[in-house]
Amino acid sequence: MPRTTHPTAPIRDRAILVTADVPGALLPAAESLDELAELARTAGAEVVARFTQRLDHPNPATYIGSGKVQEIVEAIRQHGANVVIFDDELSPSQQRNLERALGVKVIDRTALILDIFATRAQTREGRLQVELAQHQYLLPRLAGQWSHLERMEGAIGTRGPGETQIETDRRLIRNRIARIRRDLEEVRTQRELYRRRRARNNVPVVALVGYTNAGKSTLMRALSGADVLAEDKLFATLDPVTRRIRLPSGEIVLLTDTVGFIQKLPTQLVAAFRATLEELEDADLLLHVVDIAHPNAYQHVQTVEATLRDLGVHEKPQLLALNKVDLLRHTDGRPVADFDEARAIILGAGAPPRNVAIISAARDWGLDLLRSRVEEGLDGGFEGAGVELPDLATTAV
């Protein structure tokens, strides 16, 4: 009798992406959708179709219009998709309505980012923070998990238990949230003790901040020699890493890598990662890493600055590290050949202020000057200096 084999590898999701093009968005809809596609790829999904609808405001019932819903139903059938991912956070009712209409799993940008974070967290603290954010996201959506009972309301044998089960689940999740918060408060206390000890030793702290995938982990490795994971993926690293680095004067400082930021960062994550992000409050200098070769570098800087304002640390001295200059191109499309050509492209837009350093962490370009600028920033040389990128769009070499 022939032996039957069954594949054990997880089935890769086939995803359809959807966004609404609404006025006032930070990124154009197409570029935001590109970022969502990269998030989906990072989560292991294959993107099979994309949809954009121009709206004055999202539909309160289904986010998009009924005609677009029908187009997506047809695309699901055509491409064999099993998940539809929306580029904004959906309300619980929108998610339920869309799943009924589309007949497949529907998730939003927040759930997608939480899923990525869940796979990236390695330390106990990181896992607790992600679990807290996931439970806070799930709690108002529990009713949707029991929609099969809601549809049977009034049938003999189903009255009561569905509602009871929802309340039971809510109580269990609330209890778990309370437990996680207590555990994280212990972590926060430990971090506070560590920061006090660090302050007594007068060791300056430089905190790396930046948009996700800007190259913070690569820079951490280049400056400290630390064995830090660096991949070309969004949120490749999640747990904070602190290493000692030596400045040109011989002074030792602590360099701390924090979680990368992204547009539409879920509020649950900012709240859950409070203990980690408090590292920024005690930093003496923020080293803001920018992927200057990215077409949306300006919008990325705006997103990071907005997040720093939300955290109340935007007035701290900042050193802007224009990273990945090895990926810049001349106006005729030729890639830069060396650091001098890359510097010429940036300097062609005018000499940057003293709190800007031109680097390529992957190529070790400009790191000696960066160390000197870090030293200058710690000595108070950047007080009152704003964050300003050179205008590369009008620059030629």
Side-chain angles (χ1 to χ4, degrees):
M1 184 174 179
R3 180 179 297 176
T4 302
T5 61
H6 300 279
T8 58
I11 299 174
R12 191 178 187 190
D13 283 317
R14 294 175 60 81
I16 291 176
L17 310 184
V18 184
T19 191
D21 185 2
V22 296
L26 179 64
L27 289 179
E31 294 173 8
S32 187
L33 213 52
D34 286 342
E35 186 173 87
L36 187 67
E38 184 63 20
L39 286 167
R41 182 184 75 83
T42 300
E46 176 187 0
V47 177
V48 296
R50 306 182 185 198
F51 286 88
T52 301
Q53 184 172 34
R54 185 181 296 275
L55 296 171
D56 290 333
H57 51 79
N59 186 308
T62 54
Y63 183 80
I64 51 176
S66 57
K68 190 63 68 174
V69 170
Q70 290 308 309
E71 289 182 37
I72 297 171
V73 168
E74 180 58 35
I76 291 170
R77 189 180 304 114
Q78 179 183 347
H79 296 285
N82 66 332
V83 60
V84 178
I85 306 174
F86 283 75
D87 193 31
D88 282 299
E89 184 167 329
L90 300 173
S91 69
S93 61
Q94 285 175 329
Q95 187 173 0
R96 288 197 298 270
N97 293 338
L98 285 164
E99 287 190 338
R100 290 177 183 136
L102 300 176
V104 297
K105 178 173 60 177
V106 172
I107 65 174
D108 57 21
R109 185 185 184 97
T110 296
L112 180 60
I113 292 176
L114 289 174
D115 183 79
I116 294 170
F117 271 48
T119 65
R120 293 288 187 261
Q122 300 297 320
T123 65
R124 176 174 176 268
E125 178 188 358
R127 289 192 293 268
L128 283 171
Q129 289 172 136
V130 173
E131 187 181 355
L132 175 60
Q134 287 177 318
H135 283 339
Q136 290 172 326
Y137 175 81
L138 175 63
L139 190 58
R141 292 167 170 78
L142 273 181
Q145 310 300 316
W146 294 94
S147 57
H148 62 293
L149 293 178
E150 291 173 359
R151 288 195 295 270
M152 299 170 65
E153 184 179 357
I156 294 174
T158 62
R159 286 172 292 196
E163 181 179 356
T164 302
Q165 185 63 59
I166 290 174
E167 290 306 315
T168 299
D169 286 352
R170 282 176 177 152
R171 185 172 65 255
L172 290 173
I173 288 180
R174 288 192 183 106
N175 289 343
R176 181 59 184 158
I177 287 174
R179 174 64 184 272
I180 295 172
R181 282 177 170 158
R182 287 195 297 270
D183 291 345
L184 283 174
E185 193 60 33
E186 292 179 7
V187 172
R188 186 179 180 220
T189 301
Q190 293 167 0
R191 282 188 175 276
E192 179 61 28
L193 291 173
Y194 172 68
R195 284 196 293 266
R196 288 178 184 173
R197 186 165 61 249
R198 201 166 60 193
R200 285 197 301 268
N201 294 332
N202 293 320
V203 181
V205 178
V206 178
L208 286 168
V209 298
Y211 209 78
T212 180
N213 209 29
K216 294 189 291 91
S217 296
T218 302
L219 182 58
M220 168 73 85
R221 293 181 65 172
L223 290 175
S224 68
D227 186 17
V228 179
L229 176 66
E231 290 184 298
D232 186 20
K233 287 185 177 180
L234 303 184
F235 303 114
T237 54
L238 177 59
D239 297 297
V241 177
T242 300
R243 295 291 184 269
R244 293 173 178 267
I245 64 170
R246 187 180 299 275
L247 299 180
S249 66
E251 181 182 16
I252 299 296
V253 302
L254 294 179
L255 184 65
T256 297
D257 190 7
T258 58
V259 62
F261 301 145
I262 196 169
Q263 64 147 349
K264 306 175 186 177
L265 186 68
T267 54
Q268 295 95 336
L269 279 177
V270 175
F273 278 73
R274 181 172 60 102
T276 300
L277 294 173
E278 279 179 354
E279 291 288 327
L280 301 179
E281 295 180 5
D282 291 319
D284 300 284
L285 177 69
L286 302 181
L287 180 50
H288 182 168
V289 184
V290 181
D291 176 0
I292 194 60
H294 196 286
N296 296 324
Y298 296 93
Q299 289 82 0
H300 291 178
V301 169
Q302 287 179 290
T303 297
V304 172
E305 287 298 303
T307 306
L308 294 176
R309 278 194 298 274
D310 291 342
L311 295 170
V313 296
H314 61 289
E315 293 184 353
K316 284 186 173 290
Q318 279 193 53
L319 170 59
L320 209 62
L322 307 185
N323 191 28
K324 301 189 182 183
V325 296
D326 56 305
L327 301 181
L328 291 176
R329 292 181 174 271
H330 297 275
T331 52
D332 60 6
R334 290 180 298 112
V336 296
D338 52 34
F339 188 40
D340 288 338
E341 287 191 10
R343 288 183 72 252
I345 288 179
I346 294 189
L347 295 176
R354 294 198 62 80
N355 66 329
V356 173
I358 303 167
I359 67 166
S360 167
R363 299 284 192 92
D364 288 340
W365 291 354
L367 297 189
D368 287 340
L369 178 59
L370 177 66
R371 292 185 182 93
S372 297
R373 290 289 169 83
V374 167
E375 201 163 61
E376 184 179 347
L378 291 172
D379 288 339
F382 303 151
E383 292 292 342
V387 175
E388 185 177 345
L389 292 182
D391 184 7
L392 302 187
T394 59
T395 304
V397 176

